[in-house]
Amino acid sequence: MPALLGCARGPCVAVVAPDGKRRASVAVEVADTEPQREVGLMFRKHLDNEAGMLFVFKDAAHRNFWMHNTAIPLDMLFADSGGRVIGIVANAEPFSDKEVGAEGAAEYVLEVNGGFCAKNGIKPGDRFDFSGFSPHARE
């Protein structure tokens, strides 16, 4: 798969602090169907610095992810139905079958390169601002 392109070319998620300050923006590939969510970022060898994958579910629920066949260390941001970040898994270990998640019900999970959250000061309580698309699960 090709590297993800910049926000100017498609869907984008900004992470915004409670005071309204933009912490970071990433171009996203949207995984809004079951087959897309099942594969996720598996088998990829590279993810651009300002890129990620947004998993969109039909409803908010407790979500666990694993890193099976995923070679890139990832930060995972779990957000509720309002787009508020409820938890972060930092630097998930490549190829691990250990399930990781956040407390609470998430409707969205944003995967970005490991270390992204620390580098940009992203914390629970921040929120997602979607642009260039409407984040609704197709299935």
Side-chain angles (χ1 to χ4, degrees), residues 12 20 61 65 70 73 80 86-87 94 98 106 127 132 135-136:
C12 187
F65 279 58
T70 305
D80 64 16
I86 59 170
K98 178 183 175 189
R127 67 175 174 76
H136 299 289

Side-chain angles (χ1 to χ4, degrees), residues 5 12 25 27 30 40 42 48 50 54 59 63 65-66 84 87 91-92 99 112-113 120 122 124 127 131 135 138:
L5 301 173
C12 187
S25 293
V30 180
M42 288 194 298
D48 285 350
E50 304 302 319
L54 180 70
D59 58 4
R63 309 277 177 209
F65 279 58
W66 65 349
R84 186 178 59 85
N91 287 302
E99 291 188 353
V112 292
N113 281 304
N120 292 290
I122 296 169
R127 67 175 174 76
S131 63
R138 291 186 289 155

